[in-house]
Every structure is written in structure tokens, then in C-alpha cells.
Amino acid sequence: MEDSAAIAGLLWDTWLPVNVKGLISSALPGGQRDGRRLAVWLAGAHDIGKATPAFACQVDQLADRMRDAGLEMRSAKALGPDRRIAPHGLAGQALLGEWLRERHGWAVKQTGQFTVVVGGHHGVPPEPGQIAALHKHGHLLRSPGASRDVWRRVQGELLDACAEEYRVQDRLDAWRDVRLPQTAQVLLTSLVIVADWIASNADLFPYFPQDAARSGAERVAAAWRGLDLPAPWSPDEPVEDAQQLIASRFGLPEGAKARPVQEAAVELARSMGEPGLMVIEAPMGEGKTEAALAVAEVFAARSGAGGAFFALPTMATGNAMFPRLLDWIARLPSARGAQQSVLLAHSKAALNEDFAELMRDSGQRIVAVDLDAPQAPRWRPRDTKHAARTELVAHAWLRGRKKAMLSSFVAGTIDQLLFAGLKSRHLAMRHLAVVGKVVVIDEAHAYDTYMSVYLDRVLAWLGAYRVPVVILSATLPARRRRELVEAYSGAEIQASDVQPAFEEVAEVTAYPLLTAVGHGRPPVVRSPDASGRGTDVVLERIEDDVDALVGRLAHELEGGGCALVVRNTVKRVLETAKALRRMFGDEHVTVAHSCFIDVDRAAKDADLLKRFGPPGKADGRPAGPHIVVASQVAEQSLDVDFDLLVTDLCPVDLLLQRMGRLHRHMRGAGQQDRPERLRRARCLVTGADWDADVPVPVRGSVAVYGAYTLLRSATALLPHFEQGEARPVRLPDDISPLVQAAYADDADCPDGWADAMADARDRYEQHRADQAERAAVFRLGKVGKAGRPLFGWVAAGVGDADDSLAGRAQVRDSRESLEVVVVQRRDDGTLVTVPWLAPDRRGNPLGGLDLPLDQVPTRQAARAAASCGLRLPIQFSYADVMERAIAELEELYVPAWQVKESQWLSGQLILALDEDCQTHLAGFSLSYSESDGLEVTRA
């Protein structure tokens, strides 16, 4: 009890961000002084439920000592399954509530908002039914008979001692009429959980200390030194003007200026009464990421947030963001010379070289502590770019599924944020992790109805917590903009006099656009200028015929140039690439899609950036004709630039994202460094039968996006296709009008399309309603009224939520799919890592390493193999095929790898390719190549 209370005090004093302490203390009459006392007291009392027969009976030897002192109890066997009715958290909640009522005159309805912290300290607040059941089994709290009063006296003595030791005796009367917000209840619970975890660490707090004579204070001080938790980020508000701020934080070259959107975002952040939600809508390439980080610095200083979380749609975009986040942290004056905890948050983060290097170099380990040891030495980065500025630490204690997000700076997938809206065990910890940060949500248009159900609920809680949020999008429908700001602002606006202002948010047509709102306050909009550079894109429909496409590209690229062909399915990517190679040759065609092993996917992204990135940064842009055939992976967060674009018909917001890869940068005056034929930006749209009375998208596109959004996209683009009267799509001017036209509820329909459109819309609305209904099953409830205890907060939840394929499927509307580790089986039966893997950063070979079947592979070989994870395509997501595939994959079960020492391979499904990189699985033929990835055909 002393250890937990002491740690809670240290966490409060040195680790909790200022805004979290303010939220906990907001309803208490003594402010933060009361907040600290309350947190320390609850941490000290949180295990009082262990002083009960239901808990104490578990170890006979120890129970006998208690019986000798008059605390009679039946054996664990005699109590039987009834013991499950009184887990020690729930028992503690009951005992503390009784103590408050009997000793201090509290009413029943007043106690729950405080005692639920004790009841929920193992991750799940009790449900009303559990509380009622415990009341019917009083013998689990105190044995009946003569010893009942002894139990009562001991429990009372412990709680009296806690109240006196942690100085709350004189505060309990003042707290009796407090209505503690549910947000404060969540944060107090999470703080007690963290204190409990630290105090329960036997390395930091040995059960049998060598020097028992040392005081508790000395033990705690030694443990705290050994833990060495980095303090939260604590920035001062930047004093530079917006131009200077952007230039200093992002290293703009001399003479370069911040974009108008960036300047306006910083100025708007400074003008807000208190930080809230800001939505930044601006064209691709306008520097939205830099604007968001600059706003985050202002918001953090004003709100007391202790870090930043950048949420992105995919692992690939998270990996791309992570080094940019590190560079930004290194330039922050507030981080200079301080230790800052950082995290890449997705299931394969350990395979990212930037993060893996941080973990290796952050050499701190949690070990048994020496009471007389000096301050633990800290790692100083060898990278001179960071060395003089900050210490970036992947902290040893802040690792693992439930603690990692507590790091101060995080780049990760949107799933990590959506998990905060999923009823799951230890949800309070996920809330603490995001509440202490400024949250940035990128690519907001990329999330479907299912994900949006969770995102909106998370935004409602973030608004209640007063967490600053920045949302980024190039192509956000106006209706979705309104939904986001309403979710954050809170339900009370629905019946308030500010409601008309929210309706106006959905009517604003300006672009770029900034929308800012505080919790319960009306929104404010700003419409800064674009950067001044625009692109006119000529649209043309072409027939969906591969041979015709090959001939067209041969004509267009006759004088050289780089073309991007975006297909909506991997199957179409591979079919197109094969046909193009027959005409252009293998060396002139590159393939990129989602069905590559992880290490190859990362290499593909790096190669695309290297060859097709911005002038001055890219190296080796092909001079002759070159074609990249890609799936949707080319759509997001890749700063690549092509001379010509061919794309399948897709939702208009995504089509515009694809156009953002066309003439993205200026190449010479008037684009004169591009081939003469390609100096005017052109986008050829295929993937549909354009000659039909109503365009008929190809089946694969309909399966991915649905017919309605595709037809709405075609409708919005129609004026740009019409012969004779067609005009180019002007970027960025036409981005918002096109998106709003495609997603408007009352959009016009071309003549002759009405029946097809109505039928497609019915299916679309039914699908959206189904998504929303299924997502709501495990979605967290709304923020309850102040004073209402969190009883049943995560009732009927999913249990533990984690960043696995199954876990991500809980917050994404995706089929649970199989993920395998790809290795190669030689003709002699031995297994090796695939042979084409490049050496690591230190020059160590990774390809062709032995993976012995009778022992744990070397760490290098095991990690190399794990980097070859592959998510099998949708064919393997159907129940009967999945079961057959799992059964066949489990035939290669290696017992020697299923041990703790084999952390990279333990529990993984292994897909062994033959020497020709082929195999069969569940009735399909699988073929893999470094150039084309996985190809699946019916066997």
C-alpha cells in the first residue's frame, strides 16, 4: 500500500502532464492539491480487498498466520467457486464504500464515483450485477461468527491508516458533495493502475530486500531511479511569428516561405480561447503535416499536454511519418537536452529500422535496483543530428501492448486511437495515453462508416477531456466535416443556440479551409489562400482494354517520360504489368501493391521516393519511358511525381488523391524538363464501360468501393469528360467542388441514370447502416453525467484489444485474414530466409540465412524471417478456405521455435516457398517474386 501510494505521488509530481492533473482536479474544491491527495489515497487503498477471506485463503501457510491472529476463514477449496464473486478489486470497492458511509456519513450514491477507481484497477470496472451478487455473499468479505468483528476492525484500521497517512481525513467532508466527472474517474483509475504495476514490479520493489532496515522512502527513491521514466514534454508557447516558427521547426531552405495554410493554421491556433479541434483541409503538397505539428506545439503549450500522437491510416504511412516526427522533436527548443520517450505504434514497429535502432541504443533495462546507486546513466544518441538537442528513448518500461502508448511522442496507425472507443479491458490506460497528448489525425477522408462510428465516439470523449485535436484532409466531404466538429463539441450543442453555426460548417465551399471549434462552443472558419501554384489536369475516358492501354502508353511515352497506372485490385495490377512488360521490357515497368512481404513493401516505397520523388531529393529518375503499375498504395503519403496518370474509376476524393501524384512538382520553367508531349498534366480514366447508357464499373472496383460511390464520382466528373465543352480539372480550385458534388445528399443525376443510381444508392445506404449497426455493438458509450460511476463502463466488451489482425478487425470493417511469415525451403528440406533480402544498416547479410528446425534460429536470422510477413489476400478470408489454409500451414510446426527465446517466430504461421518461390495452399497456387509480389491463381 505504501509503495503504490508513494509511486502515485511521484507520477503526479514528475510524470503526469499538466492537463491530466487539471482534469482530475477540476471538480475538487482544493484544486490540484486535492487532486494529488485523492490520487495518492486511492492508490494506497486500492488493494484493501485483499484483506478479505476470499483473497487471503489462497496460501495455506499465510492464511494460518492470519487465523492465529483471530482472522478465521475457510479454505479456498471450501469456499469453492463462490470466490469468483469477490475479486479483490470489487471487494475493495465494497469495503471502501462501506467505510465512507459508516465512518464519514457519505450517501450510497456519493461513494461510487470514488470507489469505482478501486473496483476497476484491474482493467474492468464492476458491473451492477456483480455488485449486487457480492452483497448477497457477505461471508466472502468477512467470515461469519466471532471473527467477523475482527475482520471489520482490521479492514477499518487499514483504511483509517490510509486516510491519516495520506492526509485526506480532513478532506472527506469537502469531497462528499463533489460530482466527479467520468473523465476524472477514468484518469484516476489509470493512474492507480500505473502505480500498481510499478509497485508490483519485483525488480524495482524486491519481495525480500537485502537491506530491510532501509526506510520505505529510500526503497521508493531507489526504485524510481531504476525506473527512470522520462518526464512529459513541457513546451513554452513559441514566440516566433508563423513564418519563423515553420522555418525553424522544419528546416526550410534559405528564402523559402511558409505556405499560407501553415501561417493561417498557426495564427488560428493562437487566436482560440482554449485549444480545441482544428480541421485543416488543403491540397496535396501544401504542407499540412508541418502545419499540424506547428499547431500541436501551440496547443500543447496552451493546454498543458505532455506529448503528441500522429495517427495515420496504414503501417506504411506510419513508418514514413516516424522519421519526420523524430526530426521535428529534435528541433523543438522545449525538448533540447531532455529525455523524450518515443514510439512507433503498430504491430510490426520492431521491424522498422529507425525504431529498432532507438530500441537498441536506448540501453536502459529494468533490473533489480541498488539502493546506493547514483542516477542511472542515460543514452546519448550517436546521430550528431540529434545529439546536441535531445535524447530520444524507446523506454524499456514503456513497451508492451498496454503501456507503450504512454510514451510522450507517438506515430502510429489510426487503430491505436480507435481502440479508445472500443469497450475493452484496460480501456482506461488507452484513455490516459491519448488524453495527455495533442492528437493529429491524418487522411481523415480515408475512414469508412464503420471506422467513423468509432472515430466520432473517440472525438466525443476527447472533447470532454479537452484534448487538442488536429484533423487533416485534402478531400473531406462537407457533411463529414460537420460530423467531426459536432462529435468533438459535445451533445449539448444539439439543443443550443449555437447549432445554426454547425449547420453552416457543412455549407462552406471555400478551399483551402480551416475549421476550429472548442467543446460546447460554436465553430470558426478561415479560408486562407492556396500556395499559388496550381495544375490543370485534362481528363479523358478510355476503354477498359489492356491491349488498348498498352498501345496508348506506347504512343504517349514515345519521347520518354514516367507514367503511373493505378488499379483498384491487385489482380488488375499484375495483369496490366504483364502486358506492359511485353511491350516495354521488364526494366521499364515497376509494380507496387499490398501483397508484398513487409520488407519488400518498404523497399518499394523507398525506391519510388528515390526515383520519382521531388526534384533535389530524388536520385535516378528514369530518362526513358518508365511505368509504375500500382494499387491504392500509391494514393497516400507518398511524395512522388509522374508525367502521366492512368487510373481506374474510383471515388472522386481518392481520384483527386491520385491526381496529386501527377505533375506534383515543377520540373523546369513551364514543366519544360518533362517530355514535350507530357508537359500538360493528363489523367486517363479507365476501369468502366463508358459506352453503356450508364457507365458500368468493372466488378473488382464495385467489390472494393460499391457501385454508388463510383457512379457519383462519374457524375461529378462528367463536365470534365464532355467532348467539346470539357474543361480541365483545376487543382486545387476544383477539389472541394468535386468532392462536395460527389457526396451531396441532393446531388443531381444525369438523364437516364436515375434508375441505376437509385438502385445503387439503396445498396449503399443499406451497407452503411449495416456498418454502423455492427460497429455500435462494441463501441464505448457516451460520456456520462458528472457523478455517475463508471459501473459497467466496458460491459459486454471484446475483452483485450490488441494490435493484431484480429484486433484491428474490431475497429475496421475488414475480414479477419491470415498473416504468414514467408521463408524458402531448399530441395534438401532445410529452411532459409528468402535469398534477395538486402543487408541491414550495419552490413550484416539477411538473405539465405539458415532457419534450423531443431533449435532456435539466431536472432539475426529470426528477425530477418519475421520481416517477411505477408497478409494473404481476400481469397483466404472466407471461413472454409481459411480453415483449410490454417490446417495446411500448421503442418509446418516447429516446436523448437515455440519458446520465449524465439520471440520473432513463436506462434507464427510459416509459408514455405520452394526454390522457384512457388507453393500450393488451400486449393490455390501461390507464386512470389521480388518484383511482382504474390500472385494467387486457382490450382
Side-chain angles (χ1 to χ4, degrees):
M1 295 168 76
E2 287 179 348
D3 291 343
S4 295
I7 290 297
L10 288 167
L11 289 170
W12 183 280
D13 294 338
T14 65
W15 182 74
L16 273 189
V18 171
N19 68 327
V20 174
K21 292 188 281 191
L23 283 162
I24 291 173
S25 309
S26 60
L28 298 172
Q32 290 200 20
R33 187 175 181 183
D34 266 3
R36 187 186 190 281
R37 285 187 181 182
L38 176 59
V40 171
W41 171 58
L42 289 173
H46 83 277
D47 266 347
I48 186 63
K50 292 181 177 179
T52 60
F55 184 89
C57 68
Q58 295 178 87
V59 181
D60 289 337
Q61 181 181 0
L62 300 178
D64 286 341
R65 292 173 59 185
M66 297 177 71
R67 292 184 181 106
D68 291 343
L71 295 165
E72 291 296 331
M73 70 190 86
R74 297 163 65 189
S75 67
K77 184 177 180 180
L79 285 173
D82 281 356
R83 285 186 55 245
R84 292 196 295 267
I85 297 172
H88 74 268
L90 175 57
Q93 175 180 299
L95 294 177
L96 182 59
E98 179 186 81
W99 180 83
L100 286 170
R101 294 192 300 272
E102 295 182 355
R103 301 286 183 96
H104 296 278
W106 286 38
V108 172
K109 65 179 182 179
Q110 296 167 325
T111 62
Q113 57 186 331
F114 291 89
T115 63
V116 72
V117 175
V118 171
H121 80 266
H122 276 279
V124 180
E127 300 175 30
Q130 294 173 298
I131 299 169
L134 180 59
H135 286 160
K136 298 176 182 177
H137 293 78
H139 66 283
L140 298 172
L141 299 179
R142 302 181 184 103
S143 296
S147 70
R148 181 179 180 82
D149 289 341
V150 183
W151 278 105
R152 180 185 293 274
R153 187 172 69 250
V154 167
Q155 293 159 351
E157 287 174 358
L158 287 168
L159 289 172
D160 287 343
C162 262
E164 181 177 351
E165 179 71 19
Y166 306 121
R167 296 176 297 161
V168 301
Q169 288 280 24
D170 61 341
R171 302 304 302 152
L172 291 174
D173 286 345
W175 295 348
R176 184 166 47 204
D177 296 324
V178 163
R179 297 178 64 201
L180 200 62
Q182 288 198 328
T183 49
Q185 296 175 44
V186 174
L187 296 175
L188 281 166
T189 300
S190 58
L191 178 59
V192 169
I193 290 172
V194 175
D196 184 26
W197 284 354
I198 295 172
S200 299
N201 186 306
D203 287 336
L204 297 174
F205 291 92
Y207 288 118
F208 304 102
Q210 293 179 343
D211 190 351
R214 296 292 186 112
S215 70
E218 290 173 311
R219 273 177 14 98
V220 170
W224 193 248
R225 285 198 306 270
L227 183 61
D228 194 24
L229 274 180
W233 180 37
S234 183
D236 296 320
E237 186 167 348
V239 296
E240 305 97 323
D241 63 29
Q243 171 66 39
Q244 294 170 327
L245 178 64
I246 297 293
S248 64
R249 299 301 187 266
F250 304 105
L252 296 185
E254 188 173 349
K257 291 191 174 182
R259 305 286 174 88
V261 167
Q262 296 170 336
E263 290 189 283
V266 172
E267 290 164 3
L268 180 56
R270 285 172 166 162
S271 70
M272 296 174 68
E274 65 175 357
L277 170 74
M278 183 183 296
V279 182
I280 302 177
E281 298 173 65
M284 298 70 73
E286 281 289 289
K288 293 189 292 295
T289 296
E290 290 78 8
L293 292 174
V295 169
E297 186 175 356
V298 175
F299 275 177
R302 292 193 162 197
S303 68
F309 172 39
F310 213 106
L312 300 117
T314 64
M315 292 185 198
T317 53
N319 286 337
M321 183 62 205
F322 189 61
R324 297 175 68 182
L325 184 69
L326 297 184
D327 287 343
W328 172 67
I329 298 170
R331 295 176 185 272
L332 291 171
S334 52
R336 191 166 295 154
Q339 190 184 48
Q340 302 292 341
S341 55
V342 296
L343 173 72
L344 177 61
H346 61 67
S347 61
K348 298 184 179 180
L351 298 173
N352 177 278
E353 282 298 326
D354 291 305
F355 187 58
E357 190 169 338
L358 268 181
M359 288 197 294
R360 284 194 298 266
D361 291 342
S362 303
Q364 183 232 32
R365 295 290 182 269
I366 305 300
V367 296
V369 296
D370 179 354
L371 291 176
D372 297 312
Q375 177 72 29
R378 290 180 174 175
W379 166 76
R380 296 275 180 181
R382 294 172 299 188
D383 180 354
T384 56
K385 179 172 64 175
H386 297 302
R389 296 175 177 157
T390 188
E391 301 170 17
L392 303 178
V393 177
H395 194 274
W397 192 79
L398 294 175
R399 297 182 192 171
R401 178 163 48 88
K402 296 175 181 177
K403 297 182 294 187
M405 284 290 293
L406 295 172
S407 300
S408 294
F409 294 96
V410 181
T413 56
I414 187 69
D415 310 77
Q416 299 294 340
L417 181 64
L418 300 184
F419 283 146
L422 181 72
K423 290 193 288 188
S424 58
R425 191 176 181 87
H426 283 109
L427 181 61
M429 294 293 292
R430 292 193 178 275
H431 279 221
L432 176 62
V434 296
V435 170
K437 299 178 177 67
V438 178
V439 175
V440 181
I441 302 169
D442 199 10
E443 309 281 9
H445 56 273
Y447 309 123
D448 63 13
T449 299
Y450 190 94
M451 299 172 73
S452 295
V453 166
Y454 284 103
L455 180 57
D456 290 355
R457 185 52 50 85
V458 171
L459 285 173
W461 278 87
L462 294 181
Y465 284 118
R466 307 301 195 267
V467 172
V469 178
V470 185
I471 296 179
L472 309 179
S473 179
T475 53
L476 192 64
R479 178 179 60 190
R480 185 67 189 128
R481 178 197 310 140
R482 174 182 171 177
E483 291 170 350
L484 292 168
V485 297
E486 283 189 340
Y488 183 87
S489 285
E492 62 266 26
I493 62 139
Q494 301 299 330
S496 71
D497 56 3
V498 301
Q499 178 61 20
F502 287 87
E503 295 172 359
E504 293 171 8
V505 164
E507 299 170 1
V508 178
T509 59
Y511 187 80
L513 184 67
L514 307 179
T515 308
V517 67
H519 191 265
R521 299 198 307 273
V524 175
V525 297
R526 297 283 186 272
S527 52
D529 295 330
S531 61
R533 178 178 173 267
T535 303
D536 284 359
V537 180
V538 175
L539 258 60
E540 179 184 344
R541 292 175 292 197
I542 63 173
E543 63 178 308
D544 189 58
D545 179 87
V546 173
D547 292 335
L549 175 62
V550 171
R552 180 64 181 269
L553 286 175
H555 172 71
E556 298 290 351
L557 301 179
E558 189 175 0
C562 302
L564 172 64
V565 179
V566 184
R567 297 302 211 186
N568 291 340
T569 65
V570 174
K571 181 180 179 181
R572 285 173 62 82
V573 169
L574 295 174
E575 289 174 348
T576 305
K578 287 179 180 177
L580 288 168
R581 283 179 176 141
R582 287 194 292 270
M583 169 64 74
F584 291 92
D586 291 355
E587 68 276 15
H588 295 290
V589 178
T590 297
V591 169
H593 56 71
S594 59
C595 287
F596 280 90
I597 59 175
D598 294 328
V599 68
D600 287 350
R601 169 78 185 275
K604 285 284 180 184
D605 287 350
D607 176 66
L608 291 175
L609 287 169
K610 180 180 179 182
R611 292 195 288 164
F612 305 102
K617 293 183 179 180
D619 178 26
R621 185 178 180 88
H626 197 96
I627 305 167
V628 174
V629 189
S631 66
Q632 293 88 337
V633 299
E635 223 168 70
Q636 296 172 338
S637 302
L638 277 180
D639 188 3
V640 288
D641 172 29
F642 291 89
D643 304 314
L644 178 69
L645 173 66
V646 180
T647 173
D648 282 346
L649 178 65
C650 63
V652 75
D653 49 337
L654 305 183
L655 188 68
L656 290 164
Q657 291 283 343
R658 296 175 187 184
M659 287 186 198
R661 276 68 192 155
L662 177 63
H663 286 216
R664 187 179 181 93
H665 299 286
M666 186 63 68
R667 295 191 179 273
Q671 303 286 10
Q672 65 180 12
D673 292 345
R674 300 184 192 272
E676 184 175 357
R677 186 191 300 274
L678 304 177
R679 289 174 186 169
R680 189 173 191 190
R682 283 181 294 145
C683 172
L684 312 181
V685 183
T686 183
D689 178 0
W690 298 111
D691 295 328
D693 292 338
V694 179
V696 181
V698 296
R699 289 180 59 188
S701 297
V702 173
V704 174
Y705 297 115
Y708 181 69
T709 55
L710 296 175
L711 290 177
R712 289 300 321 150
S713 179
T715 301
L717 296 170
L718 208 55
H720 303 282
F721 286 139
E722 291 175 351
Q723 297 295 325
E725 300 179 7
R727 69 172 181 83
V729 173
R730 296 188 175 96
L731 302 179
D733 295 356
D734 286 337
I735 290 178
S736 184
L738 282 171
V739 172
Q740 308 321 325
Y743 287 95
D745 291 329
D746 56 352
D748 293 333
C749 178
D751 292 340
W753 291 29
D755 290 344
M757 191 73 80
D759 181 60
R761 179 164 187 163
D762 287 344
R763 294 195 301 272
Y764 169 74
E765 294 294 350
Q766 184 178 351
H767 176 65
R768 290 187 66 207
D770 176 65
Q771 283 189 312
E773 183 178 354
R774 286 184 290 110
V777 172
F778 296 121
R779 180 187 56 179
L780 183 65
K782 296 178 180 179
V783 184
K785 294 181 179 179
R788 180 178 295 173
L790 289 172
F791 298 149
W793 192 49
V794 296
V798 300
D800 279 318
D802 58 27
D803 194 18
S804 63
L805 282 173
R808 292 192 294 276
Q810 293 164 345
V811 290
R812 293 180 187 252
D813 188 25
S814 58
R815 288 179 175 270
E816 185 176 347
S817 58
L818 288 179
E819 185 154 342
V820 296
V821 169
V822 177
V823 302
Q824 189 174 55
R825 191 197 306 270
R826 290 178 174 158
D827 291 340
D828 62 4
T830 59
L831 298 182
V832 296
T833 59
V834 293
W836 59 82
L837 297 182
D840 66 17
R841 290 182 177 180
R842 302 182 181 186
N844 300 313
L846 300 178
L849 299 179
D850 287 336
L851 298 168
L853 299 175
D854 59 348
Q855 59 183 311
V856 175
T858 66
R859 178 180 175 83
Q860 183 175 323
R863 188 176 187 276
S867 72
C868 298
L870 174 68
R871 183 176 180 178
L872 295 179
I874 193 169
Q875 294 97 315
F876 296 92
S877 298
Y878 300 99
D880 54 343
V881 178
M882 179 182 286
E883 290 178 10
R884 181 178 171 186
I886 291 173
E888 293 178 14
L889 290 166
E890 287 180 339
E891 291 176 9
L892 181 53
Y893 176 81
V894 186
W897 297 358
Q898 314 307 317
V899 295
K900 183 178 180 180
E901 293 74 18
S902 184
Q903 57 175 321
W904 294 107
L905 298 177
S906 176
Q908 299 291 336
L909 293 170
I910 308 297
L911 178 68
L913 305 175
D914 63 21
E915 297 226 26
D916 295 323
C917 290
Q918 298 178 355
T919 191
H920 289 82
L921 182 66
F924 292 90
S925 295
L926 279 61
S927 177
Y928 189 90
S929 70
E930 183 183 6
S931 60
D932 283 5
L934 183 69
E935 185 169 5
V936 178
T937 56
R938 283 281 182 185

